[in-house]
Amino acid sequence: MIEHGDIKSILPHRHPVLLVDRVLEVRAGGRIVTVKAVSGSEPCYAGLPDDAPAEAYDFPASLLVESFGQSGALLWLHTMRAGDGVPPGTLIFAQARDCVFEGAARPGDVLRHEVRIETLKPNNVFLTGETYVGDRRIASMGSAMAVIRETDSLSPAPASDPTAAAAAVNSMGETA
Amino acid sequence: MTASQQAPNAERLEDIREIVTEVLEIEPEELGDTDLFIEDHGADSLRAIEILARLEKKYRVEIPQSELPKMVNLTAVYSVLAEHANWQD
Amino acid sequence: MSSQSCAAPLRAVDEVVVDPDGTSAAARKRVTRDDPYLVGHYPDFTIYPGVFQLESVIQTARELIGAPARLVKIRSLRFTAPLLDGDELSIALTLSEDLVAKTLVVKARCTRGDGTAAASMILEFAR
Protein backbone atom coordinates (compact mmCIF):
# COMPACT_ATOMS: atom_id res chain seq x y z
CA MET A 1 0.00 0.00 0.00
CA ILE A 2 1.27 3.48 -0.87
CA GLU A 3 -0.20 6.38 1.06
CA HIS A 4 -1.03 9.80 -0.38
CA GLY A 5 2.07 11.49 1.02
CA ASP A 6 4.32 8.92 -0.63
CA ILE A 7 2.47 9.30 -3.92
CA LYS A 8 3.57 12.94 -3.82
CA SER A 9 7.19 11.83 -3.79
CA ILE A 10 6.58 9.88 -7.00
CA LEU A 11 4.29 12.11 -9.09
CA PRO A 12 4.79 15.84 -9.65
CA HIS A 13 1.06 16.54 -9.63
CA ARG A 14 -0.21 18.55 -6.69
CA HIS A 15 -3.52 19.54 -5.12
CA PRO A 16 -6.13 19.76 -6.50
CA VAL A 17 -5.03 17.82 -9.59
CA LEU A 18 -3.30 14.90 -7.84
CA LEU A 19 -6.16 12.49 -8.38
CA VAL A 20 -4.91 9.32 -6.72
CA ASP A 21 -5.53 9.05 -2.97
CA ARG A 22 -3.95 5.72 -2.25
CA VAL A 23 -2.35 2.76 -4.02
CA LEU A 24 -3.92 -0.45 -2.70
CA GLU A 25 -1.65 -2.82 -4.54
CA VAL A 26 0.93 -2.70 -7.31
CA ARG A 27 2.97 -5.30 -9.11
CA ALA A 28 5.81 -4.28 -11.41
CA GLY A 29 5.01 -5.11 -15.04
CA GLY A 30 1.51 -6.21 -14.01
CA ARG A 31 -1.25 -4.16 -12.53
CA ILE A 32 -2.01 -1.44 -10.06
CA VAL A 33 -5.13 -0.83 -7.99
CA THR A 34 -5.70 2.69 -6.75
CA VAL A 35 -8.50 4.61 -5.08
CA LYS A 36 -9.64 8.19 -5.22
CA ALA A 37 -12.48 9.47 -3.07
CA VAL A 38 -14.91 11.84 -4.79
CA SER A 39 -15.81 14.67 -2.46
CA GLY A 40 -18.36 17.43 -2.75
CA SER A 41 -15.70 19.85 -1.59
CA GLU A 42 -13.60 19.48 -4.77
CA PRO A 43 -13.15 22.50 -7.04
CA CYS A 44 -15.11 20.88 -9.88
CA TYR A 45 -18.31 21.22 -7.84
CA ALA A 46 -17.68 24.76 -6.63
CA GLY A 47 -19.66 26.58 -9.31
CA LEU A 48 -22.87 24.56 -9.17
CA PRO A 49 -26.00 26.51 -8.26
CA ASP A 50 -28.08 25.31 -5.33
CA ASP A 51 -30.89 24.06 -7.57
CA ALA A 52 -28.61 21.93 -9.77
CA PRO A 53 -30.08 18.46 -10.44
CA ALA A 54 -28.43 15.29 -9.17
CA GLU A 55 -26.85 14.56 -12.58
CA ALA A 56 -24.93 17.81 -12.36
CA TYR A 57 -22.81 16.14 -9.68
CA ASP A 58 -21.46 13.41 -11.96
CA PHE A 59 -17.68 13.43 -11.54
CA PRO A 60 -16.34 14.90 -14.81
CA ALA A 61 -15.15 12.31 -17.31
CA SER A 62 -12.00 14.33 -17.96
CA LEU A 63 -11.00 14.08 -14.30
CA LEU A 64 -11.85 10.37 -14.22
CA VAL A 65 -9.55 9.80 -17.19
CA GLU A 66 -6.83 11.90 -15.53
CA SER A 67 -7.15 9.91 -12.30
CA PHE A 68 -6.88 6.68 -14.29
CA GLY A 69 -3.89 8.04 -16.19
CA GLN A 70 -2.06 9.02 -13.01
CA SER A 71 -2.63 5.50 -11.72
CA GLY A 72 -1.07 4.21 -14.93
CA ALA A 73 1.89 6.55 -14.46
CA LEU A 74 2.44 5.16 -10.96
CA LEU A 75 2.38 1.62 -12.33
CA TRP A 76 4.87 2.55 -15.04
CA LEU A 77 7.25 4.28 -12.63
CA HIS A 78 7.05 1.37 -10.20
CA THR A 79 7.79 -1.03 -13.07
CA MET A 80 10.74 0.94 -14.41
CA ARG A 81 12.28 1.33 -10.95
CA ALA A 82 12.04 -2.41 -10.44
CA GLY A 83 13.77 -3.00 -13.75
CA ASP A 84 16.31 -1.03 -15.72
CA GLY A 85 15.51 2.25 -14.02
CA VAL A 86 13.39 5.21 -14.98
CA PRO A 87 14.49 6.60 -18.36
CA PRO A 88 15.16 10.33 -18.59
CA GLY A 89 12.21 12.40 -19.75
CA THR A 90 8.54 12.77 -19.01
CA LEU A 91 5.72 10.28 -19.37
CA ILE A 92 3.12 11.97 -21.53
CA PHE A 93 -0.42 10.75 -22.13
CA ALA A 94 -0.48 10.50 -25.93
CA GLN A 95 -3.67 8.72 -26.89
CA ALA A 96 -6.62 6.60 -25.86
CA ARG A 97 -9.13 4.40 -27.68
CA ASP A 98 -12.42 2.69 -26.90
CA CYS A 99 -13.03 4.19 -23.47
CA VAL A 100 -16.59 3.44 -22.43
CA PHE A 101 -18.34 5.36 -19.67
CA GLU A 102 -21.11 3.18 -18.31
CA GLY A 103 -21.97 5.09 -15.18
CA ALA A 104 -20.94 8.02 -13.06
CA ALA A 105 -19.43 8.72 -9.67
CA ARG A 106 -20.89 11.26 -7.31
CA PRO A 107 -19.76 12.91 -4.06
CA GLY A 108 -19.40 10.16 -1.47
CA ASP A 109 -18.31 7.54 -4.02
CA VAL A 110 -14.82 6.10 -4.08
CA LEU A 111 -13.28 5.46 -7.49
CA ARG A 112 -11.26 2.28 -7.71
CA HIS A 113 -9.00 2.05 -10.78
CA GLU A 114 -7.49 -1.21 -11.94
CA VAL A 115 -4.80 -0.51 -14.52
CA ARG A 116 -2.74 -3.14 -16.35
CA ILE A 117 0.26 -2.91 -18.66
CA GLU A 118 -0.43 -4.40 -22.10
CA THR A 119 2.92 -3.72 -23.76
CA LEU A 120 6.02 -2.00 -22.48
CA LYS A 121 8.85 -0.63 -24.57
CA PRO A 122 11.83 1.53 -23.56
CA ASN A 123 9.97 4.69 -24.58
CA ASN A 124 6.28 3.87 -24.59
CA VAL A 125 3.66 1.92 -22.66
CA PHE A 126 0.16 0.71 -23.50
CA LEU A 127 -2.28 0.41 -20.63
CA THR A 128 -5.77 -0.92 -20.20
CA GLY A 129 -8.15 -1.14 -17.29
CA GLU A 130 -11.39 -0.29 -15.58
CA THR A 131 -12.82 2.03 -12.97
CA TYR A 132 -15.29 0.83 -10.34
CA VAL A 133 -17.41 2.35 -7.64
CA GLY A 134 -17.88 -0.56 -5.26
CA ASP A 135 -18.96 -3.50 -7.45
CA ARG A 136 -20.29 -1.24 -10.16
CA ARG A 137 -17.99 -0.75 -13.14
CA ILE A 138 -18.40 2.81 -14.32
CA ALA A 139 -15.72 2.97 -17.01
CA SER A 140 -13.50 0.72 -19.08
CA MET A 141 -10.45 2.09 -20.83
CA GLY A 142 -9.86 0.02 -23.95
CA SER A 143 -6.34 1.21 -24.55
CA ALA A 144 -4.28 4.18 -23.43
CA MET A 145 -0.79 5.00 -24.61
CA ALA A 146 1.85 7.08 -22.94
CA VAL A 147 5.21 7.98 -24.42
CA ILE A 148 8.42 9.15 -22.85
CA ARG A 149 9.69 12.43 -24.20
CA GLU A 150 13.03 13.98 -23.41
CA THR A 151 12.60 16.76 -20.90
CA ASP A 152 13.29 20.11 -22.49
CA SER A 153 16.04 22.20 -20.91
CA LEU A 154 13.70 25.21 -20.80
CA SER A 155 11.31 23.68 -18.33
CA PRO A 156 12.39 23.46 -14.68
CA ALA A 157 11.78 20.10 -13.03
CA PRO A 158 9.72 20.01 -9.84
CA ALA A 159 11.88 19.13 -6.85
CA SER A 160 9.95 15.96 -6.09
CA ASP A 161 10.94 13.87 -9.06
CA PRO A 162 13.40 15.10 -11.66
CA THR A 163 12.33 12.56 -14.24
CA ALA A 164 8.58 13.13 -14.09
CA ALA A 165 9.06 16.81 -14.82
CA ALA A 166 7.41 19.51 -16.85
CA ALA A 167 6.99 18.39 -20.41
CA ALA A 168 9.17 18.33 -23.45
CA VAL A 169 7.91 21.42 -25.16
CA ASN A 170 9.65 21.24 -28.47
CA SER A 171 9.95 17.52 -29.03
CA MET A 172 6.18 17.02 -28.87
CA GLY A 173 5.91 18.85 -32.17
CA GLU A 174 7.55 16.01 -34.09
CA THR A 175 4.56 13.75 -33.56
CA ALA A 176 2.15 16.09 -35.35
CA MET B 1 16.15 -9.15 -46.12
CA THR B 2 16.35 -12.45 -44.31
CA ALA B 3 12.60 -13.05 -43.98
CA SER B 4 10.82 -15.55 -46.16
CA GLN B 5 10.30 -14.31 -49.70
CA GLN B 6 7.23 -16.47 -50.21
CA ALA B 7 3.86 -14.87 -50.84
CA PRO B 8 2.06 -13.88 -47.64
CA ASN B 9 -0.77 -16.01 -46.32
CA ALA B 10 -3.88 -14.26 -47.63
CA GLU B 11 -6.00 -14.56 -44.48
CA ARG B 12 -3.24 -13.33 -42.20
CA LEU B 13 -2.59 -10.43 -44.52
CA GLU B 14 -6.23 -9.38 -44.29
CA ASP B 15 -6.17 -9.64 -40.49
CA ILE B 16 -3.13 -7.40 -40.42
CA ARG B 17 -4.73 -5.02 -42.89
CA GLU B 18 -7.71 -4.70 -40.55
CA ILE B 19 -5.49 -3.84 -37.59
CA VAL B 20 -3.42 -1.33 -39.55
CA THR B 21 -6.44 0.41 -41.10
CA GLU B 22 -8.13 0.62 -37.70
CA VAL B 23 -5.12 2.49 -36.37
CA LEU B 24 -4.85 4.70 -39.46
CA GLU B 25 -8.61 5.30 -39.28
CA ILE B 26 -9.24 4.40 -42.91
CA GLU B 27 -11.27 1.62 -44.56
CA PRO B 28 -9.44 -1.67 -45.32
CA GLU B 29 -10.17 -1.16 -49.05
CA GLU B 30 -8.27 2.14 -48.95
CA LEU B 31 -4.97 0.54 -48.02
CA GLY B 32 -2.92 -0.83 -50.89
CA ASP B 33 -0.35 -3.51 -50.03
CA THR B 34 2.53 -1.19 -50.83
CA ASP B 35 0.96 2.12 -49.79
CA LEU B 36 3.36 3.95 -47.51
CA PHE B 37 1.72 4.62 -44.13
CA ILE B 38 3.46 7.94 -43.62
CA GLU B 39 3.62 9.42 -47.10
CA ASP B 40 0.32 8.04 -48.48
CA HIS B 41 -1.86 7.95 -45.37
CA GLY B 42 -0.53 10.69 -43.11
CA ALA B 43 0.63 8.41 -40.29
CA ASP B 44 3.03 9.71 -37.66
CA SER B 45 5.30 8.07 -35.10
CA LEU B 46 2.43 7.53 -32.64
CA ARG B 47 0.50 5.51 -35.26
CA ALA B 48 3.59 3.40 -35.96
CA ILE B 49 4.01 2.67 -32.26
CA GLU B 50 0.36 1.71 -31.99
CA ILE B 51 0.47 -0.62 -35.00
CA LEU B 52 3.45 -2.42 -33.52
CA ALA B 53 1.80 -2.78 -30.11
CA ARG B 54 -1.44 -4.13 -31.57
CA LEU B 55 0.39 -6.71 -33.68
CA GLU B 56 2.42 -7.81 -30.67
CA LYS B 57 -0.76 -8.24 -28.68
CA LYS B 58 -2.65 -10.15 -31.37
CA TYR B 59 0.14 -12.49 -32.44
CA ARG B 60 1.77 -12.74 -28.99
CA VAL B 61 5.22 -11.93 -30.29
CA GLU B 62 7.77 -9.37 -29.26
CA ILE B 63 8.98 -7.03 -31.97
CA PRO B 64 11.83 -4.70 -31.05
CA GLN B 65 11.29 -0.97 -31.61
CA SER B 66 14.33 -1.06 -33.89
CA GLU B 67 12.15 -2.75 -36.52
CA LEU B 68 9.84 0.26 -36.74
CA PRO B 69 11.75 2.05 -39.52
CA LYS B 70 11.32 -1.05 -41.74
CA MET B 71 7.56 -1.23 -41.25
CA VAL B 72 6.64 1.29 -43.92
CA ASN B 73 3.79 -0.51 -45.67
CA LEU B 74 1.57 -3.58 -45.28
CA THR B 75 3.91 -5.92 -47.14
CA ALA B 76 6.87 -4.85 -45.01
CA VAL B 77 4.84 -5.22 -41.82
CA TYR B 78 3.92 -8.79 -42.82
CA SER B 79 7.57 -9.54 -43.47
CA VAL B 80 8.77 -8.28 -40.09
CA LEU B 81 5.97 -10.08 -38.32
CA ALA B 82 6.62 -13.35 -40.18
CA GLU B 83 10.24 -13.18 -39.15
CA HIS B 84 9.53 -12.64 -35.46
CA ALA B 85 6.58 -15.01 -35.31
CA ASN B 86 8.45 -17.68 -37.25
CA TRP B 87 5.74 -18.21 -39.79
CA GLN B 88 6.61 -20.93 -42.26
CA ASP B 89 4.24 -19.87 -45.00
CA MET C 1 -18.75 33.24 -9.25
CA SER C 2 -20.38 32.19 -12.51
CA SER C 3 -22.78 29.30 -12.14
CA GLN C 4 -22.35 26.20 -14.27
CA SER C 5 -24.82 23.51 -15.23
CA CYS C 6 -22.69 20.51 -14.38
CA ALA C 7 -19.51 19.66 -12.55
CA ALA C 8 -16.41 20.72 -14.45
CA PRO C 9 -12.76 21.12 -13.49
CA LEU C 10 -12.65 24.55 -15.05
CA ARG C 11 -14.26 26.78 -17.60
CA ALA C 12 -12.59 25.09 -20.54
CA VAL C 13 -13.96 27.35 -23.25
CA ASP C 14 -13.93 31.15 -23.25
CA GLU C 15 -16.09 31.63 -26.31
CA VAL C 16 -18.20 29.30 -28.48
CA VAL C 17 -19.71 30.04 -31.88
CA VAL C 18 -22.33 27.55 -33.01
CA ASP C 19 -23.15 27.14 -36.71
CA PRO C 20 -26.75 28.09 -37.57
CA ASP C 21 -27.56 24.55 -38.71
CA GLY C 22 -26.38 23.23 -35.35
CA THR C 23 -23.98 20.64 -36.74
CA SER C 24 -20.69 22.34 -36.06
CA ALA C 25 -19.10 24.77 -33.65
CA ALA C 26 -15.86 26.62 -33.03
CA ALA C 27 -14.51 27.57 -29.64
CA ARG C 28 -11.53 29.25 -28.03
CA LYS C 29 -9.79 28.87 -24.68
CA ARG C 30 -6.87 30.79 -23.31
CA VAL C 31 -4.71 28.68 -21.01
CA THR C 32 -4.12 30.47 -17.74
CA ARG C 33 -2.31 29.24 -14.67
CA ASP C 34 -5.06 30.82 -12.57
CA ASP C 35 -7.59 28.08 -13.42
CA PRO C 36 -8.32 26.08 -10.25
CA TYR C 37 -6.72 22.79 -11.23
CA LEU C 38 -3.70 24.21 -12.99
CA VAL C 39 -1.97 25.41 -9.85
CA GLY C 40 -1.16 21.74 -9.23
CA HIS C 41 -0.20 20.95 -12.83
CA TYR C 42 2.53 21.61 -12.11
CA PRO C 43 3.65 23.78 -9.21
CA ASP C 44 6.75 25.05 -11.02
CA PHE C 45 5.50 25.03 -14.60
CA THR C 46 2.01 25.31 -16.04
CA ILE C 47 0.95 22.73 -18.62
CA TYR C 48 -2.67 22.39 -19.70
CA PRO C 49 -3.38 18.70 -19.06
CA GLY C 50 -4.36 16.77 -22.18
CA VAL C 51 -7.58 15.76 -20.49
CA PHE C 52 -8.55 19.42 -20.25
CA GLN C 53 -8.53 19.57 -24.04
CA LEU C 54 -11.06 16.74 -23.77
CA GLU C 55 -12.97 18.91 -21.30
CA SER C 56 -12.85 21.85 -23.74
CA VAL C 57 -14.38 19.67 -26.45
CA ILE C 58 -17.03 18.32 -24.07
CA GLN C 59 -18.03 21.85 -23.01
CA THR C 60 -18.17 22.96 -26.65
CA ALA C 61 -20.28 19.91 -27.51
CA ARG C 62 -22.70 20.81 -24.71
CA GLU C 63 -23.39 24.10 -26.48
CA LEU C 64 -24.61 22.05 -29.45
CA ILE C 65 -26.21 19.09 -27.71
CA GLY C 66 -27.46 20.70 -24.51
CA ALA C 67 -26.07 20.96 -21.01
CA PRO C 68 -26.87 17.49 -19.61
CA ALA C 69 -25.17 15.75 -22.59
CA ARG C 70 -23.45 12.67 -21.22
CA LEU C 71 -20.20 11.33 -22.66
CA VAL C 72 -20.62 7.60 -23.19
CA LYS C 73 -17.52 6.76 -25.20
CA ILE C 74 -14.16 8.02 -26.32
CA ARG C 75 -13.65 6.28 -29.67
CA SER C 76 -10.25 7.85 -30.17
CA LEU C 77 -8.26 10.63 -28.56
CA ARG C 78 -4.78 11.83 -29.52
CA PHE C 79 -2.62 14.55 -28.04
CA THR C 80 0.10 15.88 -30.30
CA ALA C 81 1.31 19.12 -28.73
CA PRO C 82 1.41 20.61 -25.23
CA LEU C 83 -0.26 23.88 -24.26
CA LEU C 84 1.41 26.25 -21.84
CA ASP C 85 0.34 29.25 -19.78
CA GLY C 86 -0.82 31.96 -22.18
CA ASP C 87 -1.38 29.65 -25.17
CA GLU C 88 -4.59 29.94 -27.15
CA LEU C 89 -6.50 26.76 -27.91
CA SER C 90 -8.89 26.65 -30.87
CA ILE C 91 -11.50 23.92 -31.07
CA ALA C 92 -13.30 22.93 -34.28
CA LEU C 93 -16.09 20.44 -33.81
CA THR C 94 -18.65 18.66 -35.99
CA LEU C 95 -21.70 16.74 -34.84
CA SER C 96 -23.35 13.76 -36.49
CA GLU C 97 -25.51 10.86 -35.51
CA ASP C 98 -24.67 7.17 -35.23
CA LEU C 99 -28.03 5.59 -36.04
CA VAL C 100 -26.83 2.11 -35.11
CA ALA C 101 -25.37 2.98 -31.71
CA LYS C 102 -28.08 5.61 -31.17
CA THR C 103 -25.49 8.12 -30.07
CA LEU C 104 -24.34 11.57 -31.13
CA VAL C 105 -20.85 11.54 -32.60
CA VAL C 106 -18.57 14.51 -32.03
CA LYS C 107 -15.39 14.89 -34.06
CA ALA C 108 -13.05 17.60 -32.89
CA ARG C 109 -9.66 19.06 -33.72
CA CYS C 110 -7.79 21.29 -31.30
CA THR C 111 -5.12 23.65 -32.53
CA ARG C 112 -2.58 25.69 -30.64
CA GLY C 113 -2.28 29.42 -31.32
CA ASP C 114 0.79 28.93 -33.51
CA GLY C 115 -1.12 26.57 -35.81
CA THR C 116 0.28 23.33 -34.41
CA ALA C 117 -2.24 20.51 -34.09
CA ALA C 118 -2.73 19.92 -30.38
CA ALA C 119 -5.34 17.18 -30.21
CA SER C 120 -7.93 15.29 -32.20
CA MET C 121 -10.74 13.13 -30.92
CA ILE C 122 -13.93 11.27 -31.76
CA LEU C 123 -16.45 11.11 -28.92
CA GLU C 124 -19.92 9.66 -28.47
CA PHE C 125 -22.67 11.24 -26.38
CA ALA C 126 -25.98 9.79 -25.29
CA ARG C 127 -28.90 11.24 -27.24
Side-chain angles (χ1 to χ4, degrees):
Chain A
M1 190 127 87
I2 303 175
E3 297 291 349
H4 196 67
D6 294 326
I7 293 172
K8 285 164 80 167
S9 69
I10 305 170
L11 293 180
H13 306 70
R14 288 295 176 268
H15 179 82
V17 80
L18 177 52
L19 300 177
V20 178
D21 284 342
R22 178 184 279 155
V23 175
L24 297 184
E25 60 175 83
V26 62
R27 188 167 44 88
R31 81 167 188 170
I32 192 170
V33 181
T34 65
V35 288
K36 184 241 172 328
V38 175
S39 166
S41 52
E42 292 184 52
C44 65
Y45 295 116
L48 287 175
D50 290 347
D51 59 355
E55 299 77 47
Y57 288 86
D58 287 353
F59 192 64
S62 59
L63 293 179
L64 192 150
V65 172
E66 177 67 19
S67 180
F68 182 91
Q70 289 176 18
S71 305
L74 285 165
L75 173 60
W76 180 78
L77 282 164
H78 184 86
T79 301
M80 300 314 277
R81 284 175 181 171
D84 294 334
V86 182
T90 315
L91 189 68
I92 294 183
F93 178 22
Q95 73 172 48
R97 276 195 204 275
D98 297 321
C99 303
V100 180
F101 300 93
E102 301 152 274
R106 297 216 179 136
D109 289 335
V110 175
L111 300 173
R112 186 177 83 254
H113 301 293
E114 296 183 10
V115 187
R116 299 175 293 282
I117 289 179
E118 284 195 308
T119 62
L120 179 66
K121 296 286 184 200
N123 63 358
N124 66 75
V125 60
F126 281 79
L127 304 163
T128 186
E130 302 83 26
T131 302
Y132 300 86
V133 171
D135 293 326
R136 186 169 57 102
R137 188 179 68 199
I138 65 165
S140 54
M141 307 299 177
S143 181
M145 189 229 298
V147 296
I148 292 90
R149 294 281 179 210
E150 298 291 320
T151 307
D152 189 79
S153 55
L154 283 177
S155 39
S160 56
D161 185 342
T163 58
V169 174
N170 296 320
S171 59
M172 281 296 279
E174 75 199 51
T175 64
Chain B
M1 189 156 23
T2 57
S4 164
Q5 297 295 311
Q6 292 160 322
N9 171 288
E11 198 181 318
R12 271 203 200 115
L13 189 65
E14 290 319 300
D15 287 345
I16 296 169
R17 191 191 310 274
E18 201 177 310
I19 290 174
V20 171
T21 52
E22 239 180 66
V23 172
L24 297 179
E25 289 170 10
I26 57 178
E27 295 301 310
E29 310 82 72
E30 289 177 65
L31 184 72
D33 291 4
T34 53
D35 283 3
L36 297 172
F37 301 148
I38 296 173
E39 290 82 349
D40 298 332
H41 295 287
D44 60 17
S45 58
L46 288 182
R47 304 273 194 212
I49 288 170
E50 198 186 347
I51 289 171
L52 190 147
R54 289 235 203 159
L55 293 173
E56 282 192 317
K57 192 176 163 198
K58 179 171 170 85
Y59 293 104
R60 301 190 203 285
V61 294
E62 206 177 300
I63 303 171
Q65 294 267 127
S66 50
E67 298 284 60
L68 271 177
K70 284 189 207 160
M71 297 165 67
V72 296
N73 59 31
L74 189 61
T75 310
V77 166
Y78 189 98
S79 220
V80 169
L81 196 44
E83 186 184 330
H84 289 275
N86 271 315
W87 289 338
Q88 322 288 338
D89 282 334
Chain C
M1 178 162 30
S2 64
S3 82
Q4 52 194 73
S5 52
C6 52
L10 78 172
R11 202 171 112 97
V13 291
D14 293 330
E15 195 189 305
V16 182
V17 176
V18 174
D19 230 29
D21 62 4
T23 61
S24 61
R28 278 190 315 107
K29 161 72 183 167
R30 188 145 207 278
V31 174
T32 165
R33 72 176 73 171
D34 299 327
D35 272 322
Y37 280 86
L38 290 192
V39 71
H41 198 281
Y42 298 101
D44 299 329
F45 194 64
T46 297
I47 297 181
Y48 199 62
V51 295
F52 285 1
Q53 291 194 58
L54 169 63
E55 183 67 32
S56 293
V57 171
I58 291 172
Q59 289 185 13
T60 308
R62 288 204 169 111
E63 294 292 321
L64 275 176
I65 300 172
R70 195 170 69 82
L71 179 72
V72 293
K73 188 172 187 182
I74 296 174
R75 280 193 197 168
S76 68
L77 171 60
R78 308 179 79 221
F79 301 115
T80 47
L83 293 160
L84 311 180
D85 187 32
D87 277 343
E88 276 268 333
L89 177 68
S90 296
I91 299 118
L93 179 159
T94 60
L95 180 69
S96 60
E97 212 172 315
D98 184 328
L99 297 166
V100 174
K102 297 202 191 352
T103 54
L104 294 171
V105 179
V106 166
K107 296 190 182 183
R109 284 195 188 284
C110 300
T111 313
R112 196 168 64 190
D114 64 358
T116 310
S120 62
M121 61 193 84
I122 303 177
L123 311 175
E124 282 184 40
F125 288 81
R127 292 200 93 267

